[in-house]
Amino acid sequence: MINAMPVEGIVPDSAAETPADLVIRNGRVHTQDPARPAAAALAVQEGRIVAVGDDQDMAPFVGTRTRVVDALNRRIIPGLNDSHLHVIRGGLNYLLELRWDGVPSLRMALWMLREQAGRTPQGQWVRVVGGWTGEQFAERRLPTVSELNAAAPDTPVFVLHLYQSAILNRAAVRAIGFTKDSVAPPGGQIVRNHAGEPTGLLLAAPAATILYSALAKGPKLAEDDQLGSTRHFLYELNRFGLTSAIDAGGGFQNFPENYGAVMRLAEQGQLTMRIAYHLFPQTPGQELDDLRRWIATVRPGDGDEWLRLNGAGENLAWSPADFENFTEPRPLRPAKADQELEAAVRLLVENGWGFRLHATYDETIDADLDVFQKVDGFPGGVPWFFDHAETVSEANLDRIAALGGSLSVQNRMMFQGSAFADRYGAAQAARTPPIRQMLGRGLLTAAGTDATRVSSYNPWLSLEWLVTGRTIGGTELMDPQCRVDRETALRMYTAAGAGLTGEAGVKGVLKKGCYADLAVLSDDFFSVPEDGISHIESLLTVVGGRIVYAAGEFEGLAPPQPAIQPSWSPVAFFGGYHRTAPGVRQAQAVMEAAAESEEHRQWRAVRGFARGRTTEDEIFDSCFVL
């Protein structure tokens, strides 16, 4: 099964004793194996790597049915592993969402919204749910409520900005049922006009519950469509070379109901990423009941190499949780938080359950560590780690190391760093988070995104941030003493994540016996300019020896995706993350021109110079038919 592309020097042998299913040759393989850091080729059999070496070393593994792929001298890396991704929740909703991830201007974003509103059927919403910030736009600002009303007068529009705010048009305010008498949940704010009516702006002050609950009022996909939506989301992640993720649970993600799509895909052998998931208690006051119920029915490690339970978290109890809205002061810890967290941790440790715990601020980490030390024999052999840890102190890094903990950091500062610096100052922002100090203590430190509602799911943004310390708008915040080199960043995005799930021996390294999870890159991560890292994509993604994504010179090697349902899905028209590579700049220019022409048409219509969406007796200038 020699590929149609050049494969000089490889001759299929019908007498090969151990024919491989797949051989990839003529590449520049970064193995992350100290015994053989670099190679040109590898062979795969039954989902695992059986040989790594030079092209000629592959000859004994090439039979008549072996698929041989010429990597065309491109860089090959172990498959990326996002250690904190809300992949299950993201998959359920992906086909309902208009993604502004990577869109370069607010004008284009509003044009996309206007276009999508025009094709969205009655009763459905247009949702922009995370992965963007105003700093990425040429205009350097957020959209206004009036702009959403103009773009979509009748279709509900919900635009989430990080975990800071949500912007709703009039139709969405009506659809959710916000009125003059509506009461915001604790820690949330409904912004009102002089008459007390909701304006369409919701604020996390600092709790994001108001944003979660408003979004949850929107229509949902039918079960079969959730299955398709999850498949398309995984394919989108494969596009960037992601082959694994550790799911962090999250608000409004109930177990087992909301895990049905990934479980069905796993049963059908259709997952294209490996997922290790955590269970997150959903209801304040009922956390221990949830944990006891799960402990009685499932165990960490249940599942297989594609879908498996990894433990509890990222919340164990609601009261100790802090929030990452850096435009608001750090929340005070409730008096009951220590008691509730101790009860949850004690229960987990006694039953051999590992856990992850959300903690943005050092004050939270300090209090949590005090709680852990009250639990007899903590950690009792169970793996545990903190997520985020933006402002963790060096003293608490020492305590985490002494208690056998690990860390998972994300590029939230790439999206929220400017707000952080405004509140806490540039000096604090420069060491937030102290990544090099984490690694210097030997702490297992993995990397991720916290997508989809905060940062974008594009892992190359996160990798660029680890290396450069710059925000998405290009502001250099992180001190060079906290940043890492490219090889370290890649290990944090591969082997370190495997360590958090107990898979360090089989994942994150390209060597004999390991999972055949890899990506052939569009550009060489190790030599591309720093500001080009975020533009890297995978041209060929392989998971368990299966080609799950193929583009460019490799297009056609991956199985086709199912049709997008519903057909009006924003993804059907705009895709996911906005492409910014040179090959699509012409398409981007067309979109910009369309946005500009619509803007100009509206300007003329308001002033009576063009036929617009107003009355028939307007002054009409045929020279400006747009």
Side-chain angles (χ1 to χ4, degrees), residues 168-221:
L168 286 63
N169 69 349
R170 290 190 206 95
V173 170
R174 289 194 300 267
I176 292 171
F178 284 132
T179 68
K180 191 173 184 177
D181 300 322
S182 296
V183 178
Q189 182 181 346
I190 301 170
V191 178
R192 303 174 188 275
N193 63 17
H194 69 282
E197 298 289 348
T199 63
L201 184 62
L202 308 178
L203 300 178
T209 309
I210 189 170
L211 312 181
Y212 278 138
S213 56
L215 181 58
K217 298 285 181 65
K220 296 176 176 57
L221 290 170

Side-chain angles (χ1 to χ4, degrees), residues 318-334:
W318 281 87
S319 57
D322 58 13
F323 303 95
E324 67 279 4
N325 182 359
F326 297 135
T327 62
E328 294 282 336
R330 178 181 61 83
L332 297 176
R333 191 176 179 94

Side-chain angles (χ1 to χ4, degrees), residues 232 241 260 327 352 364 475 552 573 608:
H232 279 281
T327 62
T364 304
T475 302
F573 295 87

Side-chain angles (χ1 to χ4, degrees), residues 144 390 463 497 604 611 615:
T144 64
E390 272 88 358
L463 283 156
R604 294 187 62 77
R611 197 185 297 272
T615 62

Side-chain angles (χ1 to χ4, degrees), residues 97-119 126-144 147-148 150-152 157-160 167 570 574 576 578 588 590-596 598-599:
E97 296 173 356
L98 175 65
R99 303 302 307 182
W100 282 354
D101 306 45
V103 173
S105 71
L106 178 58
R107 182 173 64 187
M108 182 184 292
L110 289 170
W111 174 78
M112 293 167 66
L113 194 152
R114 185 183 302 112
E115 288 290 305
Q116 184 57 36
R119 65 174 64 91
V126 177
R127 279 171 266 214
V128 180
V129 186
W132 67 281
T133 182
E135 198 178 340
Q136 81 191 44
F137 294 145
E139 298 87 344
R140 299 283 175 156
R141 67 174 179 86
L142 307 183
T144 64
E147 285 172 324
L148 300 193
V157 173
F158 181 102
V159 176
L160 180 69
I167 310 164
F574 299 110
H578 184 72
Q588 178 177 317
V590 171
M591 291 177 69
E592 284 278 17
E596 184 174 8
E598 172 61 16
E599 189 177 81

Side-chain angles (χ1 to χ4, degrees), residues 386-564:
F386 279 121
D387 281 300
H388 314 313
E390 272 88 358
T391 69
V392 63
S393 65
E394 297 206 26
N396 278 331
L397 288 177
D398 291 335
R399 295 178 71 191
I400 294 167
L403 290 172
S406 302
L407 293 158
S408 171
V409 298
Q410 298 77 42
N411 62 320
R412 303 192 308 181
M413 286 289 286
M414 190 178 200
F415 287 77
Q416 300 171 280
S418 295
F420 183 97
D422 288 345
R423 176 166 292 280
Y424 298 106
Q428 178 63 56
R431 58 180 183 270
T432 301
I435 299 170
R436 286 265 289 277
Q437 290 73 13
M438 297 172 180
L439 296 168
R441 284 164 172 77
L443 285 163
L444 177 62
T445 306
T449 59
D450 200 9
T452 57
R453 295 182 180 175
V454 182
S455 306
S456 172
Y457 51 75
N458 179 352
W460 297 102
L461 285 170
S462 186
L463 283 156
E464 183 172 298
W465 169 77
L466 288 167
V467 171
T468 68
R470 297 189 193 111
T471 70
I472 199 164
T475 302
E476 187 174 303
L477 283 183
M478 195 190 302
D479 189 275
Q481 297 305 311
C482 291
R483 304 175 212 159
V484 297
D485 59 62
R486 299 190 197 203
E487 287 197 23
T488 301
L490 188 61
R491 283 196 301 273
M492 291 174 68
Y493 236 102
T494 51
L500 293 183
T501 56
E503 298 172 287
V506 292
K507 193 160 66 172
V509 181
L510 298 178
K511 67 177 183 179
K512 185 176 179 179
C514 289
Y515 296 150
D517 300 352
L518 58 93
V520 180
L521 304 181
S522 59
D523 297 281
D524 189 347
F525 170 59
F526 296 106
S527 61
V528 70
E530 285 185 347
D531 60 0
I533 293 174
S534 59
H535 299 296
I536 294 173
E537 296 189 14
S538 176
L539 295 181
L540 189 79
T541 305
V542 176
V543 189
R546 288 189 290 137
I547 296 175
V548 297
Y549 178 84
E553 302 95 331
F554 308 100
E555 189 170 356
L557 296 185
Q561 290 295 292
I564 290 176

Side-chain angles (χ1 to χ4, degrees), residues 114-398:
R114 185 183 302 112
E115 288 290 305
Q116 184 57 36
R119 65 174 64 91
T120 299
Q122 188 173 1
Q124 294 289 341
W125 295 13
V126 177
R127 279 171 266 214
V128 180
V129 186
W132 67 281
T133 182
E135 198 178 340
Q136 81 191 44
F137 294 145
E139 298 87 344
R140 299 283 175 156
R141 67 174 179 86
L142 307 183
T144 64
V145 172
S146 61
E147 285 172 324
L148 300 193
N149 286 330
D154 304 311
T155 303
V157 173
F158 181 102
V159 176
L160 180 69
H161 179 236
L162 309 172
Y163 279 147
Q164 295 178 6
S165 61
I167 310 164
L168 286 63
N169 69 349
R170 290 190 206 95
V173 170
R174 289 194 300 267
I176 292 171
F178 284 132
T179 68
K180 191 173 184 177
D181 300 322
S182 296
V183 178
Q189 182 181 346
I190 301 170
V191 178
R192 303 174 188 275
N193 63 17
H194 69 282
E197 298 289 348
T199 63
L201 184 62
L202 308 178
L203 300 178
T209 309
I210 189 170
L211 312 181
Y212 278 138
S213 56
L215 181 58
K217 298 285 181 65
K220 296 176 176 57
L221 290 170
E223 277 192 25
D224 285 347
D225 288 341
Q226 288 180 357
L227 205 69
S229 180
T230 299
R231 285 189 66 179
H232 279 281
F233 185 48
L234 297 182
Y235 185 74
E236 171 76 350
L237 298 175
N238 296 150
R239 164 188 164 193
F240 295 102
L242 281 159
T243 60
S244 290
I246 312 177
D247 185 82
F252 294 85
Q253 184 173 316
N254 292 292
F255 180 81
E257 307 95 285
N258 298 132
Y259 292 69
V262 292
M263 288 181 172
R264 281 177 62 190
L265 290 175
E267 290 167 359
Q268 297 168 7
Q270 292 182 335
L271 286 180
T272 60
M273 280 182 62
R274 305 181 194 276
I275 301 172
Y277 61 91
H278 287 250
L279 300 184
F280 182 124
Q282 294 294 309
T283 307
Q286 297 180 23
E287 298 97 331
L288 288 179
D289 292 337
D290 280 342
L291 292 173
R292 290 190 187 101
R293 176 165 51 87
W294 298 333
I295 287 168
T297 55
V298 291
R299 296 281 304 171
D302 283 358
D304 59 22
E305 64 190 51
W306 289 94
L307 182 67
R308 58 195 293 271
L309 174 62
N310 202 50
E314 64 182 291
N315 269 8
L316 304 181
W318 281 87
S319 57
D322 58 13
F323 303 95
E324 67 279 4
N325 182 359
F326 297 135
T327 62
E328 294 282 336
R330 178 181 61 83
L332 297 176
R333 191 176 179 94
K336 63 181 179 179
D338 289 359
Q339 180 182 349
E340 294 185 349
L341 179 60
E342 182 182 348
V345 171
R346 191 177 298 277
L347 177 64
L348 292 168
V349 170
E350 287 174 353
N351 288 276
W353 271 58
F355 64 88
R356 67 192 306 164
L357 194 59
H358 170 109
T360 297
Y361 299 98
D362 185 58
E363 292 83 351
T364 304
I365 291 169
D366 192 60
D368 289 350
L369 291 170
D370 288 345
V371 169
F372 298 166
Q373 290 181 316
K374 295 178 184 177
V375 177
D376 295 338
F378 181 87
V382 303
W384 68 276
F385 60 96
F386 279 121
D387 281 300
H388 314 313
E390 272 88 358
T391 69
V392 63
S393 65
E394 297 206 26
N396 278 331
L397 288 177
D398 291 335

